[in-house]
Amino acid sequence: MFQTAELGQKVSREDFDRVSNSLRTELLELQQDLRKADFPVIVVFAGVDGAGKGESVNLINEWMDPRWIVSRAYTTPSDEERERPDAWRFWRDLPPKGQIGLFLSCWYSQPILDHVHGEISTAQFDRHLDRILAFEKMLADDGALILKFWMHLGKDAQKRRLKSLEKDPLQSWRVNKQDWKNWKLYDRFTATAERALRRTGTGQARWEIVEGEDARFRSLTVLTTLRDAIRGHMDDRAARLKVIAEARARASAHRNAELAKVHDARDTMEKEAAAAAKDPGKKKKVKTVDLSSDGQIRGLTVLDAMDMTQTMSKDQYGLALKKARAELAMLSHQTRERGISTLLVFEGWDAAGKGGAIRRLTAGLDARNYQVIPFAAPTDEERAQHYLWRFWRHLPRAGRLRVFDRSWYGRVLVERIEGFALPEEWMRAYAEINEFEELLVRHGTVLVKFWLHITKEEQYRRFKERETIPYKSWKLTDEDWRNRAKWDEYTIGVNEMVERTSTREAPWVLVEGNDKNFARVKIIQAVCDHLRQRLG
Amino acid sequence: MFQTAELGQKVSREDFDRVSNSLRTELLELQQDLRKADFPVIVVFAGVDGAGKGESVNLINEWMDPRWIVSRAYTTPSDEERERPDAWRFWRDLPPKGQIGLFLSCWYSQPILDHVHGEISTAQFDRHLDRILAFEKMLADDGALILKFWMHLGKDAQKRRLKSLEKDPLQSWRVNKQDWKNWKLYDRFTATAERALRRTGTGQARWEIVEGEDARFRSLTVLTTLRDAIRGHMDDRAARLKVIAEARARASAHRNAELAKVHDARDTMEKEAAAAAKDPGKKKKVKTVDLSSDGQIRGLTVLDAMDMTQTMSKDQYGLALKKARAELAMLSHQTRERGISTLLVFEGWDAAGKGGAIRRLTAGLDARNYQVIPFAAPTDEERAQHYLWRFWRHLPRAGRLRVFDRSWYGRVLVERIEGFALPEEWMRAYAEINEFEELLVRHGTVLVKFWLHITKEEQYRRFKERETIPYKSWKLTDEDWRNRAKWDEYTIGVNEMVERTSTREAPWVLVEGNDKNFARVKIIQAVCDHLRQRLG
């Protein structure tokens, strides 16, 4: 695999000087164009010690404008990093759209070293590589340009290089004992590297193997590869954006046509709902009609199967709430002591009572340990990143509990239904979400996801109530009525979401919310169950 | 001081129930109004253990909507926090405008405990209190509502409270050995607390002493105080915003009038500049005319006193650059090893060569250790915070070097000149900046500030050059020409900035930039000097 990088390729000083000036200009111009692009550039530098990884990063920073470059090198994680899944430190450093991130000793480094030193088995190593694949795929699917340089030196060349660095008083600090220890493991290192490169080189995130011995050859190779990749990706994206714009226009036209149908039927539906709300005895099952954009016809959904008649009397409620809260306080104290993080995700219909349920839940907790994070429109810093970035950034530290009021599931609910995400985007989101949640759970986070369900009639009643109560009226917007008109589409979305993302470790808890008392107690009890189980 | 909080005040259950419903509604409504306000609410809870600090925070979270409340309690700092000035952890948690931050065991906690346990002298304690005063003043001046609750219990009442908590199986975890140890120090604790309260109770950030024994009395006191304070502050701000709007309008009218004058004179100035650029021999001193908004007439500024004829030949430059860079590489390797952070601030005229100088500087550094952060328009997350917040968030970790391309000095330069900041705002900024920089320096950060100076003629030449070179033309905007028309105002601003913010520990280095070679070498050498000095 590395033979082509042990050929002793060189570039003469004259040749280098001849091309370097125009290359510099090209790179600077390109960087200005890139700043307006809708994707980030992620460049990984890995390889043999002494093969010029650091020097390449330095050179890029020197030749291009470092103001729009993020360079990161990773050593021991900080405690704030250790308290989150491994990938957190990389996510927090990702460059925003229009910028370049240069990553040294990053996500490949630890797994490769661990495997070389025999600290993980080949099977474990492969699992790490799979995670890396998923991570890079996620970013590339979102438009990121990912470039990976493997800087190579033959065994003898590495020895020469280390010796010459040691001799140079200005460079000698670059070489330490560990470097020589690693050199003795050269063959094992390259064998492991080969495996990593073979398994993680994809069409979306290619490896470029660079012969590192000659600085001029290496520099020109890295810089021209970078230039061509950025230029090519910009062209691809431009073409792609046209296709996307057309797809969005089609989706939007289709949506409007559907919406018109819904509006025709709405009056009737409203009247039925009002009548049913007045006379619950006569309530009849509203059949799910085919309104999904993909033309699927579904009989029953998980929501239809819920027993929405469950209630809890005021007395029962008082008692049960007190008991559940007390237990929750104890359990969350224990998770804090043991450094176990908890993430509670709340999704549900408008007016399903998320806010109230969250307040009743957190009232049993010590405010020192929890935080409620509402997710509405992303900020501009968030919009410049992958859609999961803003959830990564709010992950709790060890022992803390966070409640997410709405979450990454917006991708397969509102973004899907409203067409903000294209079908290919929300369809692949299930896999991205499962991957993300698996990282959380593997890290030891307790993750529970609640869907607060109410019937369409109950929602109507609550909307009407909100209209009349002054301090609730701000909660009701036109948006809510519009979403209500798409009830059936959302039902299909929820059903599919539960089907595809409810796992044993990160289950969906469907909460019958027509009776608020019942719902609130059920939620707190469910949190207790999961904490108890995790505490063992 | 605390007698009024040892009266055994109580509220009956009936009275509490009677008012609580309407109070809850008021608080919820108020919170919705607050979300639209242009200020954050910062609530500090301090006081005697067991006096209900945590419970009050819990209650506010239960009664109000926790989605727009940030609750924070502080224990041992994380390593990322330890690597920055003490205040960093508080700055990073500040609530944005429109939200409420509840702070437990925060900035008062450590100084008070340290003083009680005799770990710091009274003089040191007072210094901590002065820093707190400056911190709170800075936030309050920016519009923040700061409310500080001192939750009090008499010595016997505290004993009773701790005992009763211990007996309650649901609460017993709240009490530990340290609490009883602290109780034995009760008298010293209250004496220290009195000192703290006396010295930090200001009109902008009052202390409210709350008797903590009776939960209902305590809760009603806290909640009604909070309600009234928010309401009052909202009214004050509304009145204030009118005054501000008028002041801004006046400032803007004044500016336009001045600008007209400048424009009249501009043609002549341009011609003179062009002539001078063509024939440097004939260059004559452009006298600073009175254009400052406060009518000050200045003869010479620090900029006039600079010898702008200094140059460096290409040969000298090559040699000196190489030498300076090599030294910088060594020194910055040592600062990394010793965990010393470096912050280099670059300000200067448009086209003064900041970008190029930064690139030549960083080229001597290991890209693993440095980052260049450009500060242009703030993001929306940054706009929702105090103007210094975005600089706090980018402070380097231990051993790292950061270059800030533009900085907090924008407040007293562009924001002053363009009238984005009102006179009272930029005038108090000198004190805020000095306070901020003192925290950095006291923490051990090497802070060097560069003003890149060029003559007006040289700027003209470079603007013209930029117009013709394709990969530089993006750099030149109308903004630049507009700023140039305000050269004299900026000169006065720079002079005052240097006068008021150049300290021995955080000096301004004025760089003669007409000759780029000279400037670049001078900058790198200055950084070396400061690093060498710091390394001792």
Side-chain angles (χ1 to χ4, degrees):
Chain A
M1 193 160 198
F2 300 120
Q3 292 99 314
T4 56
E6 297 179 7
L7 301 171
Q9 297 169 95
K10 282 184 172 35
V11 168
S12 70
R13 178 174 296 278
E14 295 69 40
D15 284 348
F16 186 81
D17 290 346
R18 194 168 42 75
V19 295
S20 65
N21 254 341
S22 64
L23 182 55
R24 264 176 121 128
T25 311
E26 279 180 319
L27 286 167
L28 279 170
E29 285 177 325
L30 198 58
Q31 199 179 6
Q32 291 311 317
D33 289 340
L34 177 65
R35 284 179 64 197
K36 291 166 242 143
D38 75 323
F39 63 87
V41 178
I42 294 162
V43 190
V44 169
F45 288 91
V48 174
D49 285 335
K53 293 171 297 210
E55 287 92 332
S56 298
V57 171
N58 281 342
L59 191 68
I60 293 172
N61 272 289
E62 189 183 350
W63 282 27
M64 299 179 80
D65 198 322
R67 288 177 289 185
W68 300 290
I69 296 176
V70 177
S71 307
R72 289 283 186 273
Y74 298 88
T75 55
T76 322
S78 74
D79 51 11
E80 295 194 19
E81 289 169 341
R82 267 193 304 274
E83 293 176 9
R84 274 94 169 190
D86 293 343
W88 189 75
R89 60 198 313 220
F90 305 123
W91 275 92
R92 74 196 289 217
D93 287 344
L94 288 177
K97 287 167 185 169
Q99 296 198 23
I100 301 174
L102 306 177
F103 292 91
L104 278 164
S105 28
C106 57
W107 41 95
Y108 287 97
S109 186
Q110 205 56 50
I112 288 180
L113 288 177
D114 285 350
H115 188 248
V116 169
H117 293 106
E119 279 160 33
I120 54 172
S121 69
T122 302
Q124 285 172 315
F125 182 54
D126 285 351
R127 270 245 299 282
H128 277 291
L129 297 179
D130 287 344
R131 300 222 166 280
I132 292 173
L133 268 176
F135 171 59
E136 292 179 351
K137 181 179 187 317
M138 212 181 271
L139 299 175
D141 280 342
D142 193 49
L145 165 61
I146 302 179
L147 251 178
K148 301 184 286 192
F149 289 105
W150 185 267
M151 312 298 278
H152 186 72
L153 283 180
K155 195 170 181 179
D156 294 339
Q158 190 186 17
K159 190 176 180 179
R160 282 196 301 277
R161 167 81 169 155
L162 291 176
K163 288 219 178 253
S164 93
L165 281 177
E166 271 183 341
K167 260 188 260 168
D168 183 347
L170 296 180
Q171 304 271 359
S172 61
W173 57 268
R174 289 187 189 268
V175 184
N176 56 35
K177 272 188 194 163
Q178 190 58 44
D179 292 321
W180 283 111
K181 269 194 203 156
N182 290 343
W183 180 75
K184 290 202 182 110
L185 295 168
Y186 184 91
D187 295 325
R188 268 160 76 182
F189 182 77
T190 39
T192 295
E194 266 202 22
R195 187 174 190 91
L197 266 62
R198 256 193 350 255
R199 294 181 72 102
T200 59
T202 64
Q204 286 180 317
R206 281 167 57 93
W207 277 104
E208 304 291 340
I209 301 176
V210 180
E211 181 162 5
E213 194 165 7
D214 181 64
R216 289 187 291 267
F217 173 80
R218 173 184 80 210
S219 302
L220 279 192
T221 308
V222 167
L223 289 167
T224 53
T225 307
L226 182 64
R227 176 198 61 190
D228 298 341
I230 295 179
R231 201 175 268 166
H233 201 71
M234 257 176 340
D235 294 343
D236 288 352
R237 288 295 291 178
R240 175 108 191 77
L241 282 180
K242 257 193 215 162
V243 177
I244 290 178
E246 284 165 18
R248 281 201 205 285
R250 270 199 310 277
S252 158
H254 185 62
R255 217 159 52 237
N256 289 338
E258 277 186 338
L259 216 53
K261 273 193 265 167
V262 174
H263 280 304
D264 288 342
R266 184 172 157 184
D267 276 345
T268 328
M269 283 160 38
E270 290 283 343
K271 276 175 205 149
E272 276 179 23
K278 264 184 205 146
D279 187 356
K282 273 197 184 167
K283 191 165 66 182
K284 65 165 193 200
K285 190 129 194 91
V286 180
K287 248 181 69 188
T288 306
V289 292
D290 172 21
L291 282 168
S292 78
S293 52
D294 48 3
Q296 284 174 295
I297 299 175
R298 286 183 190 272
L300 279 177
T301 67
V302 285
L303 300 182
D304 295 314
M306 291 170 74
D307 176 5
M308 297 303 290
T309 62
Q310 295 175 90
T311 57
M312 184 174 271
S313 73
K314 203 179 166 189
D315 286 353
Q316 279 179 302
Y317 174 64
L319 214 68
L321 185 69
K322 206 173 164 188
K323 191 160 161 270
R325 269 191 192 171
E327 194 188 358
L328 182 58
M330 292 289 280
L331 290 167
S332 78
H333 177 62
Q334 288 171 33
T335 50
R336 171 75 200 241
E337 295 276 290
R338 284 180 46 188
I340 297 167
S341 313
T342 309
L343 193 56
L344 307 177
V345 168
F346 281 79
E347 295 281 355
W349 297 107
D350 293 323
K354 287 194 299 295
I358 291 172
R359 279 221 293 286
R360 296 323 177 287
L361 167 83
T362 53
L365 296 169
D366 185 344
R368 289 175 182 85
N369 296 339
Y370 76 84
Q371 191 66 47
V372 181
I373 317 273
F375 289 97
T379 67
D380 50 10
E381 292 180 39
E382 291 169 341
R383 261 192 300 270
Q385 297 277 0
H386 190 274
Y387 76 94
L388 285 177
W389 186 82
R390 64 190 190 126
F391 306 107
W392 273 99
R393 82 193 289 214
H394 286 294
L395 291 186
R397 294 193 56 183
R400 293 352 186 259
L401 179 146
R402 290 227 159 151
V403 177
F404 281 10
D405 183 346
R406 307 229 181 250
S407 69
W408 48 90
Y409 284 101
R411 191 75 167 179
V412 294
L413 294 174
V414 57
E415 288 188 48
R416 166 185 178 173
I417 311 297
E418 296 296 331
F420 302 141
L422 290 174
E424 57 179 275
E425 287 171 332
W426 62 257
M427 281 197 227
R428 71 164 183 264
Y430 298 116
E432 293 166 342
I433 287 171
N434 282 332
E435 176 68 24
F436 173 47
E437 295 186 354
E438 202 186 322
L439 292 184
L440 286 173
V441 170
R442 272 170 49 96
H443 178 68
T445 307
V446 177
L447 172 62
V448 194
K449 304 171 295 194
F450 293 99
W451 174 263
L452 254 76
H453 186 52
I454 48 173
T455 55
K456 206 172 172 185
E457 297 82 0
E458 177 64 16
Q459 190 190 46
Y460 184 80
R461 204 187 58 70
R462 293 189 186 177
F463 278 11
K464 286 291 166 193
E465 187 187 88
R466 285 187 172 183
E467 279 177 347
T468 57
I469 300 177
Y471 76 96
K472 285 189 170 177
S473 61
W474 64 270
K475 289 187 180 179
L476 191 67
T477 62
D478 286 349
E479 187 86 7
D480 294 322
W481 285 107
R482 214 164 49 92
N483 292 344
R484 180 172 163 79
K486 297 183 183 170
W487 185 276
D488 296 319
E489 285 183 81
Y490 273 101
T491 302
I492 291 170
V494 171
N495 191 61
E496 192 168 310
M497 169 183 86
V498 172
E499 182 180 305
R500 289 172 194 271
T501 62
S502 203
T503 58
R504 211 167 49 86
E505 287 87 6
W508 273 104
V509 179
L510 304 178
V511 181
E512 299 81 358
N514 274 8
D515 182 81
K516 286 185 180 174
N517 294 347
F518 177 85
R520 289 167 181 175
V521 170
K522 177 169 177 175
I523 288 169
I524 303 179
Q525 285 174 343
V527 176
C528 287
D529 289 346
H530 283 90
L531 292 183
R532 218 184 297 112
Q533 196 184 326
R534 177 69 177 76
L535 287 161
Chain B
M1 194 161 197
F2 299 121
Q3 293 98 314
T4 56
E6 296 180 8
L7 301 171
Q9 298 169 94
K10 281 185 173 32
V11 167
S12 71
R13 178 175 297 278
E14 294 71 38
D15 284 348
F16 186 81
D17 289 345
R18 195 167 41 75
V19 297
S20 66
N21 254 341
S22 64
L23 182 55
R24 261 175 122 126
T25 310
E26 279 178 319
L27 286 168
L28 279 171
E29 285 177 325
L30 199 59
Q31 198 179 7
Q32 291 313 315
D33 290 340
L34 177 65
R35 285 179 64 196
K36 289 166 244 144
D38 75 322
F39 63 87
V41 178
I42 293 163
V43 190
V44 169
F45 287 92
V48 174
D49 284 335
K53 293 172 298 212
E55 288 92 331
S56 298
V57 170
N58 281 341
L59 190 69
I60 294 172
N61 271 289
E62 188 182 351
W63 281 27
M64 299 179 82
D65 198 321
R67 287 178 290 184
W68 299 291
I69 296 176
V70 177
S71 308
R72 288 284 185 275
Y74 298 88
T75 54
T76 321
S78 75
D79 50 11
E80 295 195 17
E81 289 168 342
R82 268 192 304 273
E83 292 176 11
R84 275 94 169 189
D86 294 344
W88 188 75
R89 63 199 309 222
F90 305 122
W91 274 91
R92 75 196 287 216
D93 286 344
L94 287 177
K97 287 166 185 169
Q99 296 200 24
I100 301 174
L102 306 177
F103 292 91
L104 278 163
S105 27
C106 57
W107 40 94
Y108 287 97
S109 187
Q110 205 56 49
I112 288 181
L113 289 178
D114 285 350
H115 188 248
V116 169
H117 292 105
E119 280 160 33
I120 54 174
S121 69
T122 302
Q124 285 172 315
F125 182 53
D126 285 351
R127 269 246 297 284
H128 277 291
L129 297 180
D130 287 344
R131 300 220 166 281
I132 292 174
L133 268 176
F135 172 59
E136 291 179 351
K137 180 177 187 317
M138 210 180 273
L139 298 176
D141 281 341
D142 192 50
L145 166 61
I146 302 180
L147 250 179
K148 302 184 285 192
F149 289 107
W150 184 267
M151 312 299 279
H152 186 72
L153 281 181
K155 194 169 182 179
D156 294 339
Q158 189 187 18
K159 189 174 181 180
R160 281 197 301 276
R161 168 80 170 155
L162 291 176
K163 286 215 178 258
S164 92
L165 281 177
E166 271 184 338
K167 259 189 259 168
D168 183 347
L170 296 182
Q171 305 270 0
S172 60
W173 57 269
R174 287 188 189 268
V175 185
N176 56 36
K177 271 186 196 163
Q178 190 57 45
D179 291 321
W180 283 112
K181 269 193 204 155
N182 289 344
W183 180 76
K184 289 202 181 110
L185 295 168
Y186 184 90
D187 294 326
R188 269 160 73 180
F189 182 77
T190 40
T192 295
E194 266 200 22
R195 186 173 190 90
L197 266 64
R198 257 194 348 255
R199 295 179 72 102
T200 60
T202 64
Q204 285 181 319
R206 282 166 56 91
W207 277 105
E208 304 291 340
I209 301 176
V210 180
E211 182 162 4
E213 194 165 8
D214 179 66
R216 287 187 292 267
F217 174 81
R218 174 183 80 209
S219 303
L220 278 192
T221 307
V222 167
L223 290 167
T224 53
T225 307
L226 181 65
R227 176 197 61 191
D228 298 342
I230 295 179
R231 204 175 267 165
H233 201 71
M234 257 177 339
D235 294 344
D236 287 352
R237 287 296 289 179
R240 175 110 190 75
L241 282 181
K242 257 192 217 163
V243 177
I244 290 178
E246 284 164 17
R248 280 200 205 285
R250 269 199 310 277
S252 160
H254 184 62
R255 215 158 53 237
N256 288 339
E258 277 186 339
L259 215 51
K261 273 192 266 167
V262 174
H263 280 304
D264 288 344
R266 185 174 157 182
D267 275 345
T268 327
M269 285 161 36
E270 290 283 340
K271 275 175 208 151
E272 275 178 22
K278 265 187 207 146
D279 187 357
K282 274 198 183 166
K283 191 164 66 183
K284 65 164 195 205
K285 187 130 196 95
V286 180
K287 248 183 66 189
T288 306
V289 294
D290 172 22
L291 281 168
S292 78
S293 50
D294 49 4
Q296 284 173 293
I297 298 175
R298 287 184 190 270
L300 280 177
T301 65
V302 285
L303 300 183
D304 295 314
M306 292 170 74
D307 176 5
M308 298 301 291
T309 62
Q310 295 175 91
T311 57
M312 183 172 271
S313 73
K314 205 181 164 187
D315 286 352
Q316 280 179 302
Y317 173 65
L319 213 68
L321 186 69
K322 206 173 164 187
K323 191 161 160 269
R325 268 190 193 172
E327 194 188 358
L328 183 59
M330 292 289 280
L331 290 167
S332 79
H333 178 60
Q334 288 171 33
T335 50
R336 172 71 199 243
E337 295 276 290
R338 284 181 46 188
I340 297 167
S341 312
T342 309
L343 194 56
L344 307 178
V345 169
F346 282 81
E347 295 281 353
W349 297 107
D350 292 323
K354 288 193 300 295
I358 292 172
R359 279 220 294 286
R360 295 322 177 287
L361 167 82
T362 53
L365 296 169
D366 186 344
R368 290 175 181 87
N369 296 340
Y370 77 84
Q371 191 67 48
V372 181
I373 318 272
F375 289 97
T379 68
D380 51 11
E381 291 180 37
E382 290 169 342
R383 260 191 301 271
Q385 297 277 0
H386 189 275
Y387 76 95
L388 285 176
W389 186 81
R390 65 191 190 124
F391 306 107
W392 274 98
R393 81 194 289 216
H394 285 294
L395 291 186
R397 293 193 56 184
R400 285 7 176 253
L401 179 145
R402 290 226 161 153
V403 176
F404 282 9
D405 183 346
R406 306 226 182 255
S407 69
W408 47 91
Y409 284 101
R411 191 77 166 178
V412 294
L413 294 174
V414 56
E415 289 187 48
R416 167 186 177 172
I417 312 296
E418 296 297 329
F420 302 141
L422 291 174
E424 57 179 274
E425 287 171 332
W426 62 258
M427 281 197 227
R428 71 164 183 264
Y430 298 116
E432 293 166 342
I433 287 172
N434 282 331
E435 175 68 24
F436 173 47
E437 294 186 354
E438 202 187 323
L439 292 184
L440 286 173
V441 170
R442 273 170 48 96
H443 178 69
T445 306
V446 177
L447 173 62
V448 194
K449 304 172 295 194
F450 293 99
W451 175 263
L452 253 76
H453 187 51
I454 47 173
T455 55
K456 207 172 171 186
E457 296 82 1
E458 176 65 14
Q459 190 189 47
Y460 183 79
R461 204 188 57 72
R462 292 190 188 178
F463 277 12
K464 286 291 167 193
E465 186 187 87
R466 284 188 174 184
E467 279 176 347
T468 56
I469 299 178
Y471 74 97
K472 283 190 171 176
S473 62
W474 65 269
K475 288 188 180 179
L476 190 67
T477 62
D478 286 350
E479 187 86 7
D480 294 321
W481 285 107
R482 214 164 48 92
N483 292 344
R484 180 173 163 79
K486 297 185 184 168
W487 186 276
D488 297 320
E489 285 183 80
Y490 273 101
T491 301
I492 291 169
V494 171
N495 192 59
E496 191 168 312
M497 169 183 88
V498 172
E499 180 181 306
R500 290 172 193 273
T501 62
S502 203
T503 58
R504 211 168 50 86
E505 287 88 5
W508 273 105
V509 179
L510 305 179
V511 181
E512 298 81 357
N514 274 8
D515 182 80
K516 285 185 181 174
N517 293 347
F518 177 84
R520 288 168 184 175
V521 169
K522 177 167 177 176
I523 288 169
I524 302 179
Q525 285 174 342
V527 176
C528 287
D529 290 346
H530 283 90
L531 292 184
R532 218 183 299 111
Q533 196 185 326
R534 177 69 178 76
L535 286 160

